[in-house]
Amino acid sequence: MIVKETLLPIEEVAAKLGLGRERLYPYGPHMAKVLGEPPKPKGKLILVTAITPTPAGEGKTTTAIGLADALWRLGKRAALALREPSLGPVFGVKGGATGGGRARVEPRHEINLHFTGDFHAVTSAVNLLNALLDNHLHQGNELGIDPRRIELKRAIDMNDRALRHVVLGLGGKAHGVPREGGFELTVASEVMALMSLARDFKDLKRRLGQIRVGFTYEGKPVYAQDLGAVGAMAALLRQAFLPNLVQTAEGNPAFVHMGPFGNIAHGTNSVRASAFALGLADYVVQEAGFATDLGMEKFMNLVARTAGLVPEAVVLVATLRALRYHGGQDAYEMPDLQAVRKGLANLEKHVENVELFGYKPVIALNRFPTDAEEEVALVRDFARERGLPFAESEVYAKGGEGGLALAEAVLSALALPHAYRPLYPLEAPLEEKVATIAQKVYGAQGVEWSEEAQKALKAAKKEGCTGLPVVMAKAATSLSDNPKLRGRPQGFSVRVTDLRCRLGAGFVVVYMGGIETLPGLPKVPQALRIDVDEEGNIRGMDY
């Protein structure tokens, strides 16, 4: 491992939060697992979300990192709480997910690749459960599981569309029971989701046992605990369940742990890592995946409600390139005043979404070199007219120094009153929860349910899932379920194609449009740009 940047020993990073060496399980000089139980929460949670992104993303992670560094520059004890990167996006469209420029977490290449092995552990636990299931079928199927009604999928942490639908058990009797199956991205698995939401090992094992693998011939649900899988899965996940501590490029503490997808799962780091951060720091900067209609909505309706992680302030990241894109400009890297003006409708809807939950957002404009001052003025005027805090963020180029204005705006926002409120009561019918999110958050005029989704809804009610929060799985690059609809779409309906109880994770997944749980690679994947030089340095993974 070659690290040319000057990084602090992980013990020095931990000491900034009052953690002694005895609380660390090091993975080399710059990464460590944190041992023990989290202290009582004392910090203030700052949630970072964004407007609808372009396919490349808008620097939400970069902004969150720079904000934490800026808070340290202002003399505040701060900690980051970020998701771990998935190898799917790393080698797919977006590349590395550890920030960029001078606002990044380190050691970035290790974090982007194998890190402390957390995702490998989750993948192994998912695939062990699948192996036990297929072995049960092969050894006589005592539970009477219907091979046609198995919904469990294997996991792989790589974008690979060819594995979405596969046939298993071919080759004769000795090779298992033939059935249809498939793979999903590790970060889309229920194990990843429940790892992120479990409070302790007891809770983890309880959740693992409640993973539904399929149904019997009589239509009764079968769970992981029925297969005797819980103990072995927990053993595989024991180390992965411990939060990871790393550092920013400026040597400040960052908890980077777990990574459920924001458009398929709830899109935020682990509850356990956030609990450590809130117990050790005065300010915690936490990112929620994608935009307000995905990561933030799920954080507010699921994580804040069930884990007690209630934000004190919300930062809404915007970029001029995204505003140009949502204003109808395909060549969104270059200035276009008219496109920005039209794209402000998208920003306006995301402001409204934050306000739905009881907050006035701090608008952070993530600056790019090609941004024109006239465009910046449009966004500044937009914020001023609505009485919203506004700050330009230049953390990519300047690190924490470039986030000082944003940090000061956030500190001022923390002093303002807010009244957190989820959008729906848990006791509301599932279809009412779906309609509430679609209409209030997306701006849809209605919800259409496919025949398959209606059957799944009926089964979910029978299984007792009615009182759970819902997690909407939909496109990330549009407020609608159609990626082609930019800006602030009007007069559209969303279509529910399927619905699954995830009792282990503690929510119901509602699939919309053509969402896939195993993405494919683009025509020119990021993997083609990544290489290792003769000295062992990785090239092509940085922003």
Side-chain angles (χ1 to χ4, degrees):
M1 182 178 71
I2 298 175
V3 180
K4 289 191 174 181
E5 293 83 358
T6 303
L7 302 182
L8 295 177
I10 195 61
E11 292 84 0
E12 292 186 24
V13 178
K16 289 188 172 186
L17 295 177
L19 280 174
R21 181 175 296 185
E22 73 282 358
R23 298 290 301 277
L24 303 179
Y25 188 96
Y27 280 69
H30 305 120
M31 307 186 299
K33 292 282 186 181
V34 181
L35 305 173
E37 293 300 313
K40 183 179 179 180
K42 65 175 182 178
K44 295 187 176 185
L45 185 63
I46 302 160
L47 189 69
V48 179
T49 184
I51 67 172
T52 308
T54 64
E58 303 317 307
K60 190 164 69 287
T61 303
T62 302
T63 302
I65 296 167
L67 172 57
D69 282 336
L71 287 169
W72 276 98
R73 286 174 177 255
L74 293 176
K76 310 298 182 182
R77 177 184 282 192
L80 269 169
L82 303 177
R83 291 178 295 164
E84 297 180 44
S86 166
L87 292 181
V90 167
F91 292 110
V93 175
K94 297 180 72 173
T98 51
R102 294 182 61 184
R104 59 183 189 270
V105 285
E106 296 286 1
R108 62 190 184 279
H109 294 323
E110 282 65 38
I111 296 170
N112 274 317
L113 297 176
H114 306 292
F115 202 13
T116 56
D118 292 346
F119 282 19
H120 298 292
V122 172
T123 302
S124 297
V126 174
N127 291 337
L128 171 63
L129 179 56
N130 277 270
L132 290 171
L133 170 61
D134 282 305
N135 185 59
H136 183 88
L137 297 177
H138 178 72
Q139 301 295 348
N141 195 8
E142 182 181 350
L143 294 173
I145 301 170
D146 186 348
R148 300 164 301 179
R149 298 197 63 192
I150 291 172
E151 59 186 23
L152 185 69
K153 291 185 177 182
R154 285 170 164 79
I156 182 172
D157 193 30
M158 193 65 64
N159 291 359
D160 191 349
R161 61 175 59 84
L163 294 178
R164 290 172 183 164
H165 305 283
V166 299
V167 180
L168 307 168
L170 297 181
K173 185 177 180 180
H175 302 289
V177 176
R179 68 176 182 90
E180 293 184 29
F183 286 75
E184 60 189 359
L185 204 60
T186 297
V187 293
S189 69
E190 185 173 4
V191 173
M192 179 64 80
L194 67 84
M195 282 279 283
S196 303
L197 292 167
R199 295 176 179 271
D200 50 37
F201 282 106
K202 181 180 180 180
D203 189 28
L204 174 64
K205 291 179 67 176
R206 178 188 65 81
R207 289 172 179 272
L208 288 171
Q210 292 182 322
I211 296 174
R212 192 177 73 194
V213 300
F215 296 87
T216 67
Y217 286 108
E218 290 75 32
K220 296 180 180 179
V222 180
Y223 303 99
Q225 59 195 10
D226 299 323
L227 295 169
V230 174
M233 293 177 71
L236 282 171
L237 297 169
R238 182 177 65 93
Q239 287 288 95
F241 189 59
L242 304 176
N244 304 306
L245 180 67
V246 290
Q247 63 189 286
T248 69
E250 297 188 5
N252 298 317
F255 290 90
V256 181
H257 192 225
M258 292 295 110
F261 246 30
N263 62 335
I264 297 169
H266 60 284
T268 191
N269 64 284
S270 76
V271 165
R272 194 164 176 84
S274 293
F276 269 101
L278 287 166
L280 296 167
D282 297 322
Y283 300 91
V284 175
V285 181
Q286 178 153 352
E287 178 192 2
F290 294 113
T292 69
D293 56 314
L294 287 167
M296 189 203 73
E297 180 272 308
K298 295 165 187 175
F299 191 93
M300 297 295 194
N301 281 322
L302 169 65
V303 182
R305 173 153 47 189
T306 61
L309 300 179
V310 178
E312 299 286 329
V314 176
V315 175
L316 180 61
V317 178
T319 64
L320 288 168
R321 68 179 190 176
L323 293 173
R324 296 175 198 129
Y325 178 78
H326 289 291
Q329 180 58 267
D330 290 324
Y332 53 79
E333 295 291 352
M334 300 308 296
D336 188 327
L337 203 62
Q338 184 59 30
V340 171
R341 188 174 285 109
K342 290 176 61 179
L344 286 173
N346 184 269
L347 174 58
E348 184 173 46
K349 181 66 182 92
H350 289 289
V351 168
E352 293 173 8
N353 287 348
V354 176
E355 292 174 340
L356 282 173
F357 293 98
Y359 299 84
K360 289 285 186 182
V362 177
I363 297 179
L365 184 65
N366 184 26
R367 291 295 305 265
F368 284 73
T370 56
D371 294 348
E373 291 302 324
E374 294 84 358
E375 295 175 306
V376 175
L378 280 179
V379 183
R380 185 185 297 110
D381 291 346
F382 170 94
R384 185 177 63 249
E385 290 166 4
R386 288 157 182 79
L388 300 174
F390 170 84
E392 297 177 42
S393 174
E394 297 181 275
V395 298
Y396 181 95
K398 300 178 181 179
E401 181 185 354
L404 290 175
L406 175 59
E408 289 171 347
V410 169
L411 290 173
S412 297
L414 286 168
L416 300 176
H418 65 274
Y420 161 71
R421 53 179 180 265
L423 281 189
Y424 53 78
L426 289 177
E427 61 271 16
L430 288 173
E431 58 268 44
E432 182 179 314
K433 296 173 187 174
V434 173
T436 297
I437 295 171
Q439 293 170 357
K440 290 188 176 182
V441 179
Y442 307 159
Q445 63 181 10
V447 180
E448 301 172 359
W449 292 75
S450 70
E451 184 177 344
E452 182 179 355
Q454 292 178 31
K455 292 179 181 178
L457 176 63
K458 184 177 180 180
K461 292 179 178 180
K462 185 178 179 181
E463 196 175 350
C465 300
T466 302
L468 297 177
V470 295
V471 162
M472 311 281 261
K474 77 167 188 73
T477 53
S478 174
L479 281 162
S480 74
D481 60 347
N482 180 359
K484 295 181 180 179
L485 297 182
R486 304 185 194 177
R488 183 175 186 169
Q490 303 288 333
F492 68 95
S493 293
V494 293
R495 180 172 176 78
V496 178
T497 56
D498 200 0
L499 181 146
R500 299 284 177 89
C501 282
R502 296 294 186 226
L503 291 176
F507 53 68
V508 177
V509 183
V510 179
Y511 297 90
M512 292 189 161
I515 195 72
E516 291 286 354
T517 57
L518 183 59
L521 292 171
K523 186 173 183 179
V524 184
Q526 184 70 20
L528 301 182
R529 304 182 181 94
I530 296 173
D531 200 358
V532 179
D533 66 21
E534 294 178 357
E535 297 180 358
N537 299 301
I538 294 177
R539 307 296 184 192
M541 196 181 291
D542 297 329
Y543 287 118

